[in-house]
Structures are given as structure tokens and as C-alpha cells.
Amino acid sequence: MSASDGMKFIQSWEDLVADKLQGIRRRAVLKSSFGIAAGLTVALKAPAIRAQDKSLSLMILGPDQKAVAWMKSALDEFKSKSGYAVELRQSDWGSAFQKLLTATASGTLADVCMMGQVMTPALASKGAFLPIDSYLKGWAEIDQFYVPMLKDGAFGGKSYALPVYADVRTAIYRSDILEKVGISALPTNWDDFKALAGKLSRKNGGPLDAPFFANQDKSVGLMQTYSQMLVQAGGSYFDAKGKSILSSESGLAALQYLVSFFAEGLANPNIVYQGTGPTPLVQGLAAMTYNSVVEPRNAHANNPGVEKFVVAGLPLSAKPGGTPATLAWINKLGIGANTKDPDGAWQLLSFLTSKDSSEKFAELWGGLPSRKDLKDAPFLASINKGFVDATQYAGALPITPNLLQIQKEVNIAMQSAIRQVQSPADVLAALDRKIDEITRA
């Protein structure tokens, strides 16, 4: 689903809801026409049926066969503990947002739903989910979640979702290529990172034409790289009043830093990852990038011989001695607003975000835990420690219903910037105006 299609769908929300309400009224009239005897039969039987009918539904996104098998087993366990039978629904990520929007408008949203980062504010702003603050109050588990990841499930001052795992980004390297220029210690700040790219550059006697890959792809990878640099520079997307401030001093510093790799021949804007096969880092076309555990998993699938050389460092700081900073793309679970059993839905939600369940979500969906008490989870032993260490420095993107459209616009602007069609200052000034139009700030 494209960003523009997503926004059109959101804008048609009221019409969809109105149609649904009309349908409910029509059905109510038809039901009232049943005979008295039939009505008595239903009335007598209904209480017994409701007493036995402890059922819920769950929507999960992007599972593979192994994940589905685990989930079915987990739901059997939940049934034995709670008495609730759970209908399992699933969707691929690509069509998930539209399915959740449609289900919300038609009143068929699952009792508990999985959602991606950009989906949460867009759906919460339309009343798709129940606030869960009353359940979180006094809940013993709440302090186990990383605070930025927990905050990412809030919108408009209310909590709507709990994180289950995160795609945490950091600086990633090919250690075997770094060794060719005598580097063993990984960079910690922008200056060192840039200096390493210079040493790796063929023009300086290094082994690579374009040492740094800025995650250009057919989606929003370049926007994700810029966003990480933005937080490392101390910047943010919006001010306290909701106006876009990417052209601020911090935002400009981040874009100038990104563009400098391309301007100095240390990155190639024409190298674009198509989404399948080995990434440029795994191919050996680059030795440095900003990404996640996706990189070593890509190596495992496409070039197993180099997997051991794909290593993660701490997120960078903009200045020497500064605090590392990065972002995480956080996937969550929330309770559908149309649920007929919110207490039962909370039981399911809290079960799925428990320590044991959260560990399996992270392991099987290919992310990192959202809970602090899982930092030593057994499955993490097979993941480079740098990824796990990066989690404590990870924040989240801004919580706005327009994030789907905004990230697309940022990615387009970044493409212009790295090709040096416009100056970084002009790119960001135009981008601020565009984002304010989208948010009507």
C-alpha cells in the first residue's frame, strides 16, 4: 500500500463508518421482526451460550511457518490457563495497514492486533484501539519495558499498545574488509566513522569504490538513515507546537553529514538495494552502513561465508565523547476498540507481552527484545552483541498520524539531497513546508 493510498483511505474513514452504522441499523430492524416464540427460544438459550463462549481473536503480521506454529502452541497454553479459545488471523506486512483500517471501519477488527510503528498513531487517532492505561496502572510488568518503546505505544496522552519486539538500528561493518586497512576498533562518533570511510576508499588506496552504503532502497531506507543521524545530532522532526523543524541547526548538520559521503565519493547514490538477494554490505560493495540484524540474517541467507564478519558497533554520537543515539522501529500489540470482552483481551495482550512470549516474538520475527529483562535471552547468544547493546540507546520516530506520508516525503527529499540537486539547506526548508502542509501545522 502506497503512502498516498494510505492517506486517501484514512480520509474516507467517516464514510466507511457511516455505511457500517447504517448496516447495523438495518440489521436491527430485521431482527426485531422475528416471531415471539423464536425470540423466547433465543432469550432462554443465550445466557448459557455466553457463559461457555469464552473466545477471542488475534491478528498477527508477517509470520513465517515457524512463527505460526509457535503462536498456535502459545494460544493453546493461553486457553489452558484462561479458558479462552483464540481465533488466529494473519496478514503480510504489505497489506496489513489497509486490512486493519477496513476491519476497524467494519467493526471486525480482532480483539488483539499486531501493528507496525507507522500504523499505531494513524489507527489510534481514528479510534481503532482501546486505551489501556487502566490496565497498565499497577501492572507489575510495566517497569520491564524500555521506556522509549513503551512511549511509542501512546497517542494523545493515552496508551494504546505494548511493544513486543523492535528493529533496532546501529552502525554495521564488514570486519574482514576493515582489517585490510588495519582497523580493528570500531568508530564511536561521526568524525571517526567518516575517517574510516576515507581509509577504505579506493581513491586513498583502500579496497572499495563506495565504502559507505546509506541504505538506499525501494522503500524508505534513506529516510531511516537520515533519521538516525538526526537524533545523533540532537535534532527532532517537530517542535513543541507540532511544526516541522528539520531545517534547524541539528537537522541541517545531520543532512550535511549524510551528503558529505556522496559529495566526497565515499558513497554512491546509484547503488540501490532492490529488496531481494545480498545487500551491498553482504556483497562486499560496501563495508559500512546503518541497519539492523537484517544484515547478518541477509548474509546467512545469501552469503553464509561472510556472516561472521558482519558486526555491529554502538550507535554513533555526532561529537567525540557524546552519547550514542539511534532509533528503533517498534512493533506492538493493542486491543481492538470493538472488542466485546476488553478484560479477556487484556489477559491475552498481557500474556503475549510477558517475558516468555516477548522472547519468542523477538526471536521468530527477527528483532530485538522490547523488555530489559530479556537482554540476556538465550537466542541473543547467536546475535552480535553490538545489536543488543544498541537497544538501550534507541528512541522512536515521532508519534503522528501522518507518519506514513511524512516518511515518504522525507525519503524523496533525501534522494534529491544525496544527488546534490539542491543544497541541504534548501532541501530541508522545502521539506519543512511540505510536512507542515501534511500536518496542517
Side-chain angles (χ1 to χ4, degrees), residues 2 9 12 46 55 74 78 100 105 125 127 187 191 213 230 269 281 289 294 305 327 337 342 382 385 405 415 441:
S2 70
F9 199 90
S12 65
S55 61
F78 177 70
L100 292 177
S125 68
D191 289 344
F213 177 61
L230 176 66
L281 190 89
T289 192
V294 167
L327 293 172
S382 62
K385 188 174 182 295
Q405 187 174 357
Q415 293 286 352

Side-chain angles (χ1 to χ4, degrees), residues 267-291:
N268 184 346
N270 298 315
I271 296 178
V272 178
Y273 179 54
Q274 299 299 313
T276 58
T279 65
L281 190 89
V282 171
Q283 291 181 66
L285 296 176
M288 313 159 64
T289 192
Y290 275 35
N291 210 335

Side-chain angles (χ1 to χ4, degrees), residues 114-115 117 139 141-153 161-168 328-333 349-363 365-377 379-380 387-388 390-396:
M114 191 173 179
M115 67 194 93
Q117 178 146 17
W139 186 43
E141 301 280 310
I142 195 69
D143 292 334
Q144 295 299 334
F145 293 88
Y146 289 105
V147 173
M149 297 189 193
L150 198 61
K151 288 182 177 179
D152 191 59
L162 287 173
V164 282
Y165 72 94
D167 181 27
V168 179
W329 275 255
I330 304 157
N331 296 319
K332 299 170 285 290
L333 291 170
L349 176 58
S350 57
F351 171 79
L352 293 173
T353 55
S354 66
K355 181 179 179 181
D356 289 344
S357 295
S358 291
E359 179 179 353
K360 297 302 290 186
F361 262 111
E363 178 182 2
W365 266 260
L368 293 174
S370 57
R371 295 174 57 116
K372 293 178 284 188
D373 54 1
L374 286 173
K375 62 182 179 181
D376 297 318
F379 86 92
L380 295 176
F387 290 111
V388 182
T391 303
Q392 62 187 303
Y393 302 107

Side-chain angles (χ1 to χ4, degrees), residues 23 27 67 116 122 131 178 180 189 192 208 243 273 364 398 425 440:
R27 287 195 295 276
L178 268 58
K180 293 180 180 180
N189 58 71
D192 291 346
L208 299 175
K243 290 189 69 65
Y273 179 54
L364 295 173
R440 297 176 182 152

